[in-house]
Amino acid sequence: MRHLIEINDLSVEEIEELIEVAKDIMQHPENYWDKCKHKKLATLFFEPSTRTRLSFESAMIELGGDVIGFSSASSSSASKGESVSDTIRIVGGYSDIIAMRHPKEGAALVGSIKSEVPIINAGDGGHHHPTQTLTDLLTISCEKNRLDNLTIGLCGDLKFGRTVHSLISAMSRYKNIKFILISPDELRISEYVKKEILDKYNMDYIETKNMEEYMDKLDILYMTRVQQERFFNEEDYLRLKDYYILNESKLEKAKKDLCIMHPLPRVNEISIEVDDDPRACYFKQAKYGKYIRMALILKLLGINYTRRKI
Ligand code: NCD
């Protein structure tokens, strides 16, 4: 039995396979309609979510399976003091696979230890968000046709943003990746990410506060929201929340084939005028999330799928 706690729990070959299956699902959804008949996905969300939870649920429904779960800690027995580990053990008796999100770093790993069914980490605090990264990789593969030779600007809250941490981990395994890490001083990438990933794998990166400085060099600009819920004081959040606002004038020097991504939800960090720019990929990105989650569910349940010849 396999769990997905961090993105590098999957090998590069497995990620490639998931991407190919997701692309095949997009082209031939009818081939997958009953692959998960009589299987149940439980979505246990102790923290708010729109895209991740609903795309998981929609993914399972499109595979012919069923969905159970809760969307807030307050509607579960966590509010009575039940541990994550106990909740997972119980829900494993009612379902075949579990996707869970929790505000505490490491919660999914703890939950997986005693679990009898595969656990998918749908976000653990400021730590990891591997299925967002699978979504991001599918997006990059579809939009740029490659996962190597890329200059990627990561902009915003690089300290608390879990999607950024997982994406950096994933990209450490591809060739010729260069990161431009754009953030205010207070939200710079954590030392542990530098030590355990960027420096460990000798990755090429530059840190800057200036969003426009390297704009002309970027193949991908990955915007992120300042993570209000992980701040200790409101004052700091208010001071930093509008530090970066991407608009058309800031994109003047950007490449014509830049891919602008954002895991969403957006607050103010991308002005709505950018939505009509052909380089804006974030709404497409959210859609890709469903297909890669369909591929992941099939893989973790060990269900055979037909695969397009490549
Ligand atoms: C992200 C998350 O939950 O980390 N959202 C998502 O899953 N698409 C990003 C965020 O909340 O800012």
Side-chain angles (χ1 to χ4, degrees):
M1 187 181 57
R2 295 277 300 274
H3 304 294
L4 177 63
I5 309 300
E6 312 182 11
I7 189 67
N8 291 354
D9 290 344
L10 294 166
S11 67
V12 171
E13 294 71 32
E14 285 175 315
I15 288 177
E16 208 177 291
E17 179 81 21
L18 288 174
I19 289 175
E20 290 312 318
V21 173
K23 288 179 180 173
D24 192 53
I25 296 172
M26 285 190 252
Q27 282 176 15
H28 305 288
E30 67 286 354
N31 289 348
Y32 295 84
W33 280 343
D34 60 358
K35 293 279 179 209
C36 285
K37 218 168 170 189
H38 305 305
K39 297 282 183 197
K40 281 191 268 359
L41 163 76
T43 52
L44 310 186
F45 277 64
F46 299 88
E47 222 190 29
S49 170
T50 298
R51 272 149 295 274
T52 305
R53 184 173 64 84
L54 296 181
S55 66
F56 259 119
E57 296 188 355
S58 166
M60 190 51 154
I61 290 166
E62 286 194 29
L63 290 167
D66 293 301
V67 176
I68 59 171
F70 53 80
S71 56
S72 73
S74 61
S75 63
S76 79
S77 284
S79 63
K80 300 180 187 170
E82 185 169 59
S83 70
V84 171
S85 184
D86 282 2
T87 304
I88 297 286
R89 253 175 124 154
I90 300 305
V91 176
Y94 307 149
S95 61
D96 301 285
I97 185 165
I98 295 174
M100 65 167 282
R101 169 173 287 187
H102 199 281
K104 287 228 171 80
E105 286 81 9
L109 179 63
V110 168
S112 69
I113 292 168
K114 290 276 170 66
S115 178
E116 289 179 3
V117 302
I119 299 294
I120 302 172
N121 181 8
D124 61 325
H127 218 184
H128 299 291
H129 193 346
T131 64
Q132 180 62 48
T133 302
L134 289 174
T135 302
D136 299 342
L137 295 176
L138 175 60
T139 306
I140 296 170
S141 170
C142 290
E143 301 300 318
K144 306 295 299 180
N145 234 334
R146 63 184 193 273
L147 290 171
D148 49 13
N149 296 312
L150 292 164
T151 298
I152 305 175
L154 298 172
C155 178
D157 188 345
L158 309 188
K159 180 176 181 187
F160 297 115
R162 55 193 171 197
T163 64
V164 163
H165 305 154
S166 292
L167 185 58
I168 292 176
S169 284
M171 298 318 289
S172 71
R173 302 189 294 181
Y174 296 94
K175 284 205 188 82
N176 199 15
I177 299 297
K178 183 168 188 163
F179 282 117
I180 311 295
L181 304 174
I182 310 157
S183 71
D185 280 337
E186 296 89 334
L187 299 178
R188 280 167 66 173
I189 199 88
S190 306
E191 282 306 311
Y192 86 89
V193 178
K194 280 192 192 165
K195 207 169 139 211
E196 291 171 23
I197 312 167
L198 291 165
D199 294 339
K200 184 169 168 190
Y201 298 105
N202 241 331
M203 297 186 75
D204 202 347
Y205 68 94
I206 294 173
E207 291 186 279
T208 176
K209 274 189 266 194
N210 185 342
M211 181 195 238
E212 283 153 278
E213 195 178 354
Y214 296 96
M215 189 62 91
D216 57 330
K217 306 274 183 306
L218 303 181
D219 299 304
I220 291 167
L221 173 58
Y222 192 99
M223 297 296 296
T224 62
R225 164 183 79 92
V226 175
Q227 305 279 298
Q228 179 176 19
E229 63 276 40
R230 314 217 191 279
F231 271 68
F232 295 110
N233 85 59
E234 179 75 4
E235 230 171 78
D236 286 348
Y237 170 70
L238 293 174
R239 187 165 47 80
L240 294 167
K241 75 182 175 71
D242 294 330
Y243 202 96
Y244 299 110
I245 299 180
L246 182 67
N247 55 24
E248 280 297 311
S249 80
K250 296 203 173 102
L251 285 166
E252 240 161 49
K253 293 211 179 103
K255 290 184 181 171
K256 293 279 164 285
D257 64 348
L258 171 72
C259 173
I260 305 168
M261 298 172 66
H262 190 311
L264 304 178
R266 137 179 80 181
V267 186
N268 287 326
E269 56 282 354
I270 303 181
S271 156
I272 54 166
E273 70 185 25
V274 178
D275 296 358
D276 296 326
D277 189 308
R279 294 169 290 188
C281 292
Y282 32 93
F283 290 116
K284 266 195 259 179
Q285 183 184 353
K287 246 188 188 171
Y288 288 133
K290 179 179 73 179
Y291 300 108
I292 199 79
R293 289 182 173 102
M294 289 171 80
L296 179 67
I297 290 170
L298 290 172
K299 176 173 179 63
L300 295 183
L301 287 177
I303 291 171
N304 284 332
Y305 37 76
T306 43
R307 205 186 127 202
R308 187 166 53 114
K309 292 271 168 295
I310 47 171

